Amino acid sequence: MKSRMKGGVAWALGAMLACAGAAQAADMSGALSILLRDPDTGELGVAVLSHAPACGSFVPWVEAGVGVIATQGETNGSWGPRGLQMLRDGVPVQGVVDSLMHSDEGYPRRQIGVLDATGWPAGYTGNDLVNWSGGILDSNLAAQGNTMPNHLVIEAVMDTVKGLTRLPLAERLLAGLELADQRRGDWRGARSAALLVGRPNPARPEDATRFISLRVDDDPAPVVALERLYRAWRAGRLVGAYLDYADAYRRADRPALAQVELRRARGAVTEALADTTLGAPALNAMAWQLAQRGAMLDQAWAAIARAQLAEPRSTEFTDTAAEVRYRQGRVADALALATEASKRVPPDEYLRSRVGFFTAEAKKQPAAGGGRSGKKKG
């Protein structure tokens, strides 16, 4: 029984199969995965959930400008890196799937979904996978799963992800994963989940494979935990990245895309400040990113004030507070905070240097509140 077709270039990967018994099902590392490409940003991403532990260690593979792969079922750990290499070498996406399948005698127990750098999809589902196992492919999008209750889960996931075009790619993937988990995409219940996104960035080549890299290896509610990790990552890492991409798009005379990145940065900051569960380290990292870029400084102060309230003796947080005040033009406050931080850790050369820097700045004209710090926080 094939799943109901959608528009575009969608087709079924597999058929509904009767359960072959509990012993056979136990051998399968059942998983549901979603692959997605953003044609505007070039991002490629994959989200996955599974009853098996640590699915993020063997299912998702991504490289921006090359492709994204989910290899699941009774997983062959070589399919991901081999598939990406073939895509780098220019092998068409269907040829990649065919080559992997025909080179592996265990192919009846495997499943794979692939998008190439242009968003063209391909996939395969082995006949030995149990319960309903299959998927749907579309341009820039693929969803596949095995050991599932029926085909309706995959169809609902596809509809959800396709309808959220205004959200960042990662949040579209998480929305699809949340729905799949609610519908018990793995009928035994998920224990692990992962989100992996690559984005092309010549200035940061690591973003091609790790723009976002989050995983929950064993948790009774892995998708909830993954979403919590994403909120912290978005505040602590993506706010700065969005602002940097906005600047890059402006320089490239692409103002519409620059505005999209700015909206994402502002939205991420607003949501972070409204999130009462967000930890102090993420708030501190967000405040530092904003201060270093001279952006949304009032929000940066709100973030670091909350972080300091949670951990008032943190020298790192006090240092960030000094940087925010300095960027706001409040040099005397910055000097007081830097002095406080330095007194806590007298041997710290960096903190002493900041006291010296702010002391020199305080001697200048009151209007001179700008400047740039050479410090970089991880």
Side-chain angles (χ1 to χ4, degrees):
M1 175 180 168
K2 292 184 178 180
S3 58
R4 179 168 55 89
M5 295 299 102
K6 301 293 181 184
V9 293
W11 61 89
L13 293 177
M16 183 163 65
L17 304 172
C19 180
Q24 185 178 3
D27 292 335
M28 303 298 176
S29 56
L32 182 146
S33 61
I34 313 163
L35 280 61
L36 186 61
R37 171 179 176 265
D38 186 328
D40 292 327
T41 66
E43 287 173 272
L44 290 166
V46 51
V48 57
L49 63 82
S50 178
H51 178 74
C55 65
S57 68
F58 53 84
V59 173
W61 303 86
V62 67
E63 184 175 342
V66 175
V68 58
I69 297 174
T71 172
Q72 53 202 57
E74 193 172 289
T75 306
N76 181 329
S78 73
W79 278 26
R82 286 168 56 203
L84 288 176
Q85 185 58 55
M86 282 188 275
L87 290 172
R88 288 188 206 101
D89 293 340
V91 178
V93 65
Q94 188 61 51
V96 171
V97 171
D98 292 343
S99 177
L100 292 171
M101 181 181 69
H102 291 132
S103 67
D104 184 349
E105 64 180 14
Y107 73 92
R109 302 183 301 278
R110 318 272 193 233
Q111 185 176 48
I112 189 171
V114 186
L115 293 179
D116 67 15
T118 69
W120 192 258
Y124 160 79
T125 293
N127 285 334
D128 285 355
L129 293 170
V130 300
N131 286 23
W132 192 87
S133 298
I136 304 174
L137 307 178
D138 205 338
S139 56
N140 295 313
L141 176 61
Q144 46 281 315
N146 55 78
T147 68
M148 298 171 65
N150 53 54
H151 63 87
L152 299 177
V153 176
I154 287 290
E155 293 190 2
V157 166
M158 291 287 284
D159 288 343
T160 295
V161 174
K162 288 174 71 173
L164 298 173
T165 54
R166 289 184 62 84
L167 291 181
L169 178 140
E171 293 172 31
R172 295 173 67 191
L173 287 170
L174 285 172
L177 210 63
E178 181 180 10
L179 177 63
D181 191 37
Q182 291 171 353
R183 302 276 181 97
R184 293 185 71 83
D186 188 319
W187 64 274
R188 300 161 299 180
R191 293 291 308 184
S192 66
L195 174 66
L196 185 60
V197 177
R199 183 165 184 173
N201 183 354
R204 286 176 52 87
E206 65 272 21
D207 282 358
T209 57
R210 292 292 185 272
F211 183 62
I212 301 172
S213 180
L214 305 171
R215 46 187 273 198
V216 176
D217 285 347
D218 190 15
D219 191 281
V223 176
V224 173
L226 186 66
E227 290 170 337
R228 184 169 59 247
L229 284 175
Y230 172 74
R231 291 195 299 273
W233 183 276
R234 182 178 58 186
R237 297 280 184 174
L238 296 185
V239 166
Y242 289 148
L243 291 171
D244 291 344
Y245 277 107
D247 284 342
Y249 285 136
R250 267 196 300 268
R251 291 194 299 272
D253 196 23
R254 303 177 73 182
L257 288 178
Q259 286 301 312
V260 169
E261 298 297 328
L262 283 174
R263 283 199 302 270
R264 289 178 176 178
R266 291 167 183 152
V269 170
T270 298
E271 291 190 29
L273 292 176
D275 186 352
T276 59
T277 68
L278 195 63
L283 290 166
N284 172 68
M286 185 175 78
W288 181 264
Q289 291 177 84
L290 294 174
Q292 289 292 283
R293 292 161 179 82
M296 293 180 270
L297 293 174
D298 288 345
Q299 292 91 330
W301 180 253
I304 194 56
R306 266 181 56 188
Q308 285 190 293
L309 188 63
E311 299 183 28
R313 296 297 297 171
S314 170
T315 300
E316 180 184 10
F317 295 178
T318 304
D319 174 47
T320 299
E323 189 72 15
V324 173
R325 283 309 197 202
Y326 172 62
R327 298 299 177 127
Q328 290 177 318
R330 300 177 61 165
V331 180
D333 291 343
L335 175 57
L337 287 162
T339 301
E340 177 187 343
S342 183
K343 285 180 178 178
R344 292 181 196 158
V345 193
D348 192 307
E349 294 181 4
Y350 165 75
L351 293 176
R352 288 203 305 272
S353 74
R354 297 310 288 164
V355 172
F357 176 79
F358 293 135
T359 298
E361 289 294 295
K363 294 177 181 178
K364 297 179 181 178
Q365 294 294 323
R372 297 183 62 87
S373 167
K375 184 185 179 188
K376 179 182 178 182
K377 287 198 175 184

